[in-house]
Amino acid sequence: MIQFEFQKYQQVKLDSYDLENIKERFLQDNHMSGWYDLDRSCVSEIKALASKIRLQCDVFLVIGIGGSYMGSKAIIEAMSPYFSKQKPEILFAGYQLSSEYLQELLEYLQDKEVIVNVISKSGTTLEPAITFSSILSFMKQKYPQIYGQRIYATTDAMQGTLLELAKKENFHTLVVPENIGGRFSVLTPVGLLPIAVAGYDIDDLFEGAMEAKENLDNCYYYTSLRHAFYQQGKVIESFDIYEPKLASFVEWLKQLFGESQGKEGKGIFPVSTINTRDLHSLGQYYQEGKDILFSTTIFAHSDHTVFLQDYQKSLDEVNQMAMESVCQAHYEGHVPTSLILMDKISLKNLGYLLFFFEMSAMLGSYLLGISYYDQPGVNAYKKILREKLGEE
Ligand code: PA5
C-alpha cells in the first residue's frame, strides 16, 4: 500500500492544469506511448525463459546502459537482501568504461557458469558494445560449442548491429518494442527478464503499475506541484530515501526525469539524498543553502522488528521519526517536501511507483512544452568521442 502526503510540509498555491486532457493528447499524438499500455503479452515467455536460465547459471550478466539496465537494477536491488548472496547472482556491466571493472569482472566470471543478457535498443551504443565485445570473446573461449545458447540479446525487432550479430551468432533474441523508449522500458523484456531471473514475480509489478494507472489523481497532484515549484525558481528536486536498498531506484528516477525534462534550457535537475547518511553531508545545504530545492521523500517501512530498549521503540519507528524531523526542519528552512509512504518494499509497491513516475515525467514534459521521449543532448559527447576514436 502506498500513501501520499502532499500538504503537511509545504504551502503552495497550485494552478489547475487539465492533466486528464494532456493525457488524452499524449495518447492521440504520441507514437512513443507504448509503455502506457502495460502490455503483458511477453510475461509467460519471460517466466519460462527465466526458470530455465535460473537452473543454468551462477551469474546472469546484464550488459546495457541508461534505460537498458537501470530499471531492472532498481527493482532487483530494492527487493534483494543485503547480505545473503542469491543464486543466480545478477551482475551489471556496460554502463561505464572502467578497465578495472571489466578486468576484475572477467576474472570473477572465470570459474562461474555464466549467461549473458546484452540489451541495447539501438544496438549501437558504445559502452555496452565495447563491454559485450570482450564478454563475447570470453564466452567463446569458455563455451566454444554452445556460447550462442548462453547469450540473450534484447534489441530492436528490425534493425541494428546487435540484431545482425545475434542472427549471425544464433543468440536468443527478445524485442524492445519500437514505441517504447529506453527509460520507459522496465516493464518490457528489457527489465522483465533480469528481474524474473533474479526470482521475482513480474506479475506483481504489473499489478502495482495497473493500480497506479487506474488512480491517477495523486500523480496529477504531484506533477502540478513540482511544476509549481519550478515556476517559483526551485530548480532542483531531491529524491530522499531512508532505506539504502532504494538507492538504485532513485538513480532510475534521476535518469527518468533528467533525460525526459532537461531540454531547451528548461527542466528540474534531479538529485538523490540517502538519509540519514546524507544529513551529515548535504543536510547543511538543505537547511541553510540557496533556495532552489524541493524534496520528494520516499519512505518505506520495514518488515523487520529491531527493538531499541533505550527508547522503547522499534528502529523502524525511530527511522520514521527521523524522516518526519527532517521534513519539518527542512520545511522551516524553505525546502518543501512531498511524502510517498510505502507500507513495505514490495514488487506491487515498486510497480506502482514505476508507472506513477513515468506518467509524471511525461505529463510534466507537456507542461514544460518539450518532447519527453528523446534525449538529443546525449549525442553531443558521443559525437566528439566517436570522432576522437576515428569512427564515422
Ligand atoms: O532512455 C533512453 O532512451 C536512453 O537512456 C537509452 O536507454 C540509453 O541511451 C541506451 O540506449 P540503447 O538501449 O539504444 O543502447
Side-chain angles (χ1 to χ4, degrees), residues 233-277:
K234 292 191 182 291
V235 291
I236 297 182
E237 175 175 27
S238 174
F239 294 103
D240 295 0
I241 52 170
Y242 290 75
E243 172 48 70
K245 278 185 184 179
L246 293 173
S248 285
F249 190 84
V250 289
E251 288 302 312
W252 175 80
L253 283 174
K254 280 155 68 178
Q255 188 215 1
L256 181 71
F257 284 103
E259 279 195 340
S260 299
Q261 300 192 338
K263 285 164 207 167
E264 300 180 24
K266 301 177 191 172
I268 295 163
F269 190 77
V271 300
S272 57
T273 306
I274 299 178
N275 285 338
T276 59
R277 183 194 73 187

Side-chain angles (χ1 to χ4, degrees), residues 214-242:
E214 284 162 3
N215 299 282
L216 286 171
D217 286 353
N218 284 315
C219 177
Y220 290 163
Y221 197 94
Y222 168 67
T223 305
S224 308
L225 199 55
R226 65 194 296 286
H227 195 67
F229 289 142
Y230 176 67
Q231 286 177 320
Q232 285 175 8
K234 292 191 182 291
V235 291
I236 297 182
E237 175 175 27
S238 174
F239 294 103
D240 295 0
I241 52 170
Y242 290 75

Side-chain angles (χ1 to χ4, degrees), residues 65-68 119-125 128 181-184 255 259 373 375 378 382:
I65 197 166
S68 289
I119 308 174
S120 177
K121 186 177 185 191
S122 62
T124 55
T125 308
R183 58 191 170 275
F184 291 81
Q255 188 215 1
E259 279 195 340
Y373 58 82
Q375 58 280 340
V378 179
K382 289 187 192 168

